[in-house]
Amino acid sequence: MNYIQQAYKGDNTWWKVWFTTLLTTGIFILNFVFYLFTTAEDLEEAYDLMKQMPTNISLIVNLLPFAVLLALLFLCVKFLHERSLLSLTTVRKKVDVKRILVSFSLIVVFTLVTFLISYSIDSSEIVFQFQPVKFLILFIISVLLFPFQIGFEEYVFRGYLMQQIGIFVKNKWMPLIITSVLFGLAHSANPEVAELGFVTMIFYIGTGLLLGIMTLMDDGLELALGFHLGNNLMAALLVTSDWSALQTDAVFRYTSEQATQTLMEILIPILVFYPVFLIILGKIYKWSNWKERLFGKVTKPLVLEEDIPLQDHTKEL
């Protein structure tokens, strides 16, 4: 049984799917509507208002709602759809924590190395602002709350929606594309989009594709969870800027008042680095039959495999 087929283990009555989807993704829908119908001046005022809050308070305000949303998603899956959380996470008998650590380490090392190279070449617009006490508080908040944020985004996009769309359209490529686009649109209200323009959506959608491919090829969310967590922690702890989505007491700060990324700088990670990540992970986990795993059909299994009891794997989640 592949990852998308796991959805067949639960009750997929149409109104339950719509209820769960709207309940958990409503915040993203409102953000997108806000972005579409708000003028550039009003957006700038909203971002300026957020910047007036203490950085750590602002971070908590931004991240804490995801803990509530993740809890709502889990409750809906468990009691409304009558499925185990394990079936939403992986096809394996338990969550593979080692996989999470591998992808987490991969993106953290990559981010640190590329930043240090960039810093050594040109540090004219990068300021070292490390303050031990402030950074420690930031670190604690990040470690406690980012898992909820990335957990919710992965479980709702690469998990719940990918599975539900997959069993509806009966293939794998369409949920991969749809959830990646939705993942991009969910970030449309980020300050980077307002600063750089809608072209930034290419990066978010491309990242969604990367995480979706990881999930389908590996038949589980573990690699996507680790990668996403490592990326967001680095974004919060390593370097910040006045125009980034997260205003934090990071180690470094970009002093440029405006974002200066070009289209090529946005495309390079998607066209060069992301395929390298997939090749590395493919070698580690011996992925094969890419065509079937990414473009194959989704059919209801004749026999549904039983999950181990929920209490046996709660510590792994």
Side-chain angles (χ1 to χ4, degrees), residues 237-257:
L237 299 175
L238 182 61
V239 60
T240 188
S241 67
D242 290 336
W243 41 266
S244 63
L246 296 173
Q247 299 293 308
T248 68
D249 296 311
V251 178
F252 296 92
R253 172 177 290 275
Y254 285 118
T255 58
S256 174
E257 294 183 357

Side-chain angles (χ1 to χ4, degrees), residues 8-64:
Y8 285 115
K9 292 181 177 180
D11 181 352
N12 300 303
T13 305
W14 69 269
W15 72 264
K16 294 184 179 182
V17 175
W18 277 107
F19 176 82
T20 302
T21 300
L22 293 175
L23 179 67
T24 56
T25 63
I27 187 172
F28 296 119
I29 297 172
L30 291 175
N31 274 343
F32 184 62
V33 172
F34 174 79
Y35 177 81
L36 287 179
F37 295 98
T38 304
T39 64
E41 292 78 11
D42 290 337
L43 280 174
E44 187 172 350
E45 288 182 8
Y47 296 144
D48 288 339
L49 182 62
M50 290 181 61
K51 291 176 184 178
Q52 293 175 13
M53 299 175 63
T55 54
N56 288 326
I57 298 299
S58 176
L59 186 62
I60 293 173
V61 169
N62 276 280
L63 296 181
L64 199 55

Side-chain angles (χ1 to χ4, degrees), residues 15 34 57 59 64 70 84 134 142 161 175 187-188 205 210 221 234 247 306:
W15 72 264
F34 174 79
I57 298 299
L59 186 62
L64 199 55
L70 183 61
S84 72
K134 288 186 176 181
S142 299
L161 290 178
H187 294 80
S188 59
I205 293 173
L210 170 71
L221 285 178
M234 286 295 96
Q247 299 293 308
E306 292 295 329

Side-chain angles (χ1 to χ4, degrees), residues 1-7 9 83-97 99-100 155 158-159 163 215 218-223 225 305 307-308 313 316-317:
M1 180 180 293
N2 63 48
Y3 179 69
I4 289 180
Q5 288 175 315
Q6 295 282 96
K9 292 181 177 180
R83 289 175 54 189
S84 72
L85 300 183
L86 183 66
S87 70
L88 190 66
T89 308
T90 183
V91 301
R92 287 168 274 277
K93 292 300 181 182
K94 63 179 182 178
V95 176
D96 190 342
V97 177
R99 275 175 153 81
I100 298 176
Y155 273 102
R158 258 68 61 182
Q163 289 181 338
T215 301
D218 202 53
D219 274 329
L221 285 178
E222 293 99 331
L223 295 178
L225 286 167
E305 300 170 2
D307 290 333
I308 58 176
H313 61 78
E316 300 290 344
L317 291 175

